[in-house]
Amino acid sequence: MTDRRTHGLQKMNEVYGWEMPDIQGDPYFDLTVEHLFGTIWTRPGLSMRDKRLLTLAAVTAVGNSDLAEIQINAALHNGELTAEELKEVAVFITHYLGFPLGSKLDGAVSKVVRQRKKAAEKGAGEDKRANVDAAVKMHSGKSLDDE
């Protein structure tokens, strides 16, 4: 494994808050790991919190609530944003993107907070397999079960 790939996977794990599998031989996944996470997410100048907020704004703008849920869960897991701050992000962004997209983000925040609370009450922690599977699908088009 190259240093760039190793560094990219480490950053990807940090960004998502769980261990991503290293999917070998998938050119799109390779580009994601080596360029997006190995180069872009590791650039100086913006904090992880800044990058998370920008990512949430972008995925909200295109209406991708599945990716918003992954980012929300990771932000909570990594301590970058609180549930209250994420609710404020939804209120704020609604006034720039409109009610339908802002309410989708607000719904995603509520859903993730509810799921995390329920898991904590059961002592189960978060459902990392579901998170990893969603991220793998997003970056490679495959499911963990396809492996």
Side-chain angles (χ1 to χ4, degrees):
M1 187 179 321
T2 66
D3 286 343
R4 191 173 185 189
R5 187 171 189 94
T6 300
H7 192 62
L9 277 171
Q10 288 171 345
K11 182 54 78 173
M12 196 174 196
N13 292 338
E14 178 187 347
V15 168
Y16 287 128
W18 63 78
E19 290 291 314
M20 287 291 292
D22 185 7
I23 301 170
Q24 297 290 320
D26 182 309
Y28 188 80
F29 189 79
D30 294 345
L31 182 63
T32 300
V33 169
E34 295 170 16
H35 181 67
L36 176 60
F37 291 100
T39 303
I40 302 303
W41 274 89
T42 57
R43 288 177 56 83
L46 295 173
S47 69
M48 286 295 290
R49 186 177 193 274
D50 294 340
K51 292 171 186 173
R52 183 81 62 200
L53 287 166
L54 289 166
T55 303
L56 276 170
V59 300
T60 300
V62 297
N64 191 333
S65 57
D66 290 340
L67 184 50
E69 288 177 23
I70 292 169
Q71 294 296 323
I72 291 162
N73 197 46
L76 291 167
H77 174 81
N78 292 338
E80 296 154 356
L81 295 159
T82 66
E84 294 78 19
E85 289 170 325
L86 287 161
K87 291 297 256 180
E88 283 300 315
V89 168
V91 169
F92 184 83
I93 212 162
T94 295
H95 293 82
Y96 287 90
L97 298 179
F99 186 80
L101 292 172
S103 65
K104 280 177 83 171
L105 178 60
D106 184 66
V109 170
S110 295
K111 179 181 176 182
V112 169
V113 168
R114 209 172 32 252
Q115 289 172 337
R116 291 176 65 87
K117 183 179 179 187
K118 187 176 177 181
E121 288 169 354
K122 288 183 176 180
E126 50 191 294
D127 181 3
K128 290 189 177 186
R129 179 168 172 79
N131 292 337
V132 172
D133 193 50
V136 167
K137 280 183 191 174
M138 176 184 59
H139 292 297
S140 72
K142 299 176 185 174
S143 172
L144 289 174
D145 296 330
D146 294 343
E147 303 269 304

